[in-house]
Amino acid sequence: MNKPIILLYILFLLSIFGISAQEAYVDYLEGVLEVQTTGSWQELYIGDEIPSNGRLKLSDNGYAELMVGNAVVSLTKDGSYALRDIVKGSSTVQAASFDLKKKLTLSTGHDKWRQEATMGVRGAEATVSTGTGMEDAYTYLEAGMDSMGRDDYDEALVNFEEGWEFFEDHNCLLFTAVCYEQLGEKRNYVRTLEEVDSSSLDREYKSIYGLRMGDLLIRSMDYSGALEVLDDLEGTEMDREESQQLEYLTGTAWLGAGNNANARSAFQKARDLMPSSELGKQAAEALSSL
C-alpha cells in the first residue's frame, strides 16, 4: 500500500474514531476509579492513561479529574462513565488558565458586613449566643477572614466550619469550601461548594460562589447548569477581572452546549474587557476557532 493510500486510510479512521484519538489520563483522584476494556475491572491511579475504549467506574464517594487533550473533566458523582462519551462531551471545552483561588474579594465586602454587624442591622440573629464565646455567625466569619488574610487556612477552616455548624450560615459554608480549595482538598471543596445555597449568601460573596460553581459545572460537562448559575450573576457588582472570568466561562458553557453564536458574543466581551490579559488572549484564541 503506497503512502497516499495509507494517509487517506489513517484520515478515514480518524474521522470515524476521532473522538477516541485524544489522549486521556487521570490527573487527580480521591476515592476509587476503575477501568474496564474487556473482562475484569482494573484500578486506576493518578498519572495512568485511560484506554480509548475504556469504561470507567467511580466509587467510594469519589472525585476524579481527567485530562482529555487540553480539557479538564471532573467526575463528581459515583457511577459508570464511557470514555468515548466523556471525550465527545469535552471536545470543544478547553482548560482556562485563570486561577479562581486568587480572587476572594476580602477587603470591601469584609469591611461592609463588619460595619453592619456592629450597627446591629442584621437583625435578631446578631444577638444569638451559643455559649461558645462567639456572639453570631459573623463573628466566626470575621475570625475566618482574618486568618485567611494571614494565609492560615487551617485556622480559617475551623472558624468557618463552626460558623456553619452553630448558625448554618451559608457565607461560612462558602468560605469553608474556599479553604478546602486552598488546602488542596478537592473532594471536600466540591462537596461543600455543592451544599451552598446561593440565595442565602450576602450579595458581595455571590460572585465568589457563582464563578467557582460555574467552572465546576463546565468541567463536569453540565453546560445548562453552568449557564443557569452564571446567568444569576448578571447585575452582580464585580470588578473587571471577575467580569472577564464570567464572560469567558459563559462563552465556554455556550460552546459546550453547541451554541456558537452565543459563545462568540461572550468571548468577544471577555476579550474586549482586558485584551492584554492572559484570559483576554485565550478568549481571542477561542474566537479565532469559531
Side-chain angles (χ1 to χ4, degrees):
M1 189 179 293
N2 60 39
K3 288 184 178 179
I5 294 177
I6 291 174
L7 179 59
L8 288 173
Y9 181 64
I10 291 173
L11 292 174
F12 172 72
L13 289 177
L14 287 175
S15 69
I16 299 175
F17 302 110
I19 288 175
S20 302
Q22 293 189 63
E23 179 181 280
Y25 65 90
V26 183
D27 191 49
Y28 182 87
L29 175 63
E30 291 186 62
V32 177
L33 184 64
E34 299 170 280
V35 63
Q36 181 188 53
T37 50
T38 56
S40 61
W41 292 88
Q42 302 293 323
E43 192 165 353
L44 290 170
Y45 300 92
I46 293 175
D48 285 352
E49 188 171 352
I50 305 170
S52 59
N53 62 336
R55 184 163 190 85
L56 299 172
K57 181 169 64 176
L58 185 66
S59 59
D60 195 26
N61 188 29
Y63 172 75
E65 289 183 359
L66 312 179
M67 284 299 301
V68 184
N70 292 324
V72 180
V73 176
S74 296
L75 306 182
T76 64
K77 300 289 187 296
D78 287 355
S80 297
Y81 305 84
L83 182 63
R84 178 181 293 272
D85 294 337
I86 292 172
V87 173
K88 181 179 180 180
S90 66
S91 59
T92 58
V93 178
Q94 304 300 308
S97 66
F98 64 86
D99 187 356
L100 293 172
K101 291 185 292 186
K102 294 179 180 177
K103 189 61 183 176
L104 300 178
T105 57
L106 293 181
S107 56
T108 304
H110 178 54
D111 292 340
K112 179 179 182 298
W113 68 251
R114 181 164 55 186
Q115 290 168 8
E116 290 179 351
T118 301
M119 295 171 64
V121 300
R122 290 189 181 273
E125 184 183 34
T127 66
V128 174
S129 175
T130 63
T132 63
M134 295 290 197
E135 292 183 353
D136 52 52
Y138 303 101
T139 313
Y140 285 104
L141 193 60
E142 179 176 17
M145 293 287 197
D146 288 341
S147 297
M148 282 205 300
R150 301 191 303 272
D151 293 330
D152 189 345
Y153 293 99
D154 289 304
E155 181 179 317
L157 181 60
V158 171
N159 283 289
F160 293 136
E161 285 181 329
E162 291 184 350
W164 169 247
E165 179 183 356
F166 293 126
F167 297 99
E168 295 187 358
D169 180 76
H170 281 265
N171 300 301
C172 287
L173 187 61
L174 170 61
F175 284 104
T176 296
V178 169
C179 285
Y180 281 134
E181 180 189 34
Q182 295 280 1
L183 292 168
E185 298 184 33
K186 293 188 178 184
R187 176 167 56 180
N188 284 337
Y189 164 64
V190 169
R191 297 290 181 263
T192 306
L193 190 67
E194 290 175 334
E195 292 179 11
V196 175
D197 178 4
S198 62
S199 66
S200 298
L201 293 173
D202 287 359
R203 178 175 51 83
E204 57 265 34
Y205 302 136
K206 288 184 181 293
S207 63
I208 295 174
Y209 166 81
L211 293 173
R212 283 168 171 75
M213 196 65 198
D215 176 62
L216 174 62
L217 289 169
I218 287 170
R219 289 188 285 111
S220 304
M221 296 182 297
D222 183 356
Y223 304 119
S224 60
L227 287 166
E228 184 177 340
V229 168
L230 296 170
D231 185 62
D232 283 344
L233 290 179
E234 290 295 331
T236 302
E237 186 176 339
M238 291 183 285
D239 62 24
R240 292 181 71 197
E241 183 180 354
E242 288 177 315
S243 296
Q244 187 177 52
Q245 291 172 357
L246 172 61
E247 295 298 346
Y248 186 90
L249 287 171
T250 300
T252 304
W254 279 121
L255 189 62
N259 191 321
N260 286 7
N262 284 356
R264 184 179 296 106
S265 175
F267 283 135
Q268 285 173 341
K269 292 176 183 177
R271 178 199 62 191
D272 295 344
L273 276 165
M274 290 188 290
S276 61
S277 70
E278 183 61 32
L279 202 56
K281 294 175 183 176
Q282 288 186 64
E285 185 177 344
L287 282 169
S288 68
S289 66
L290 290 175

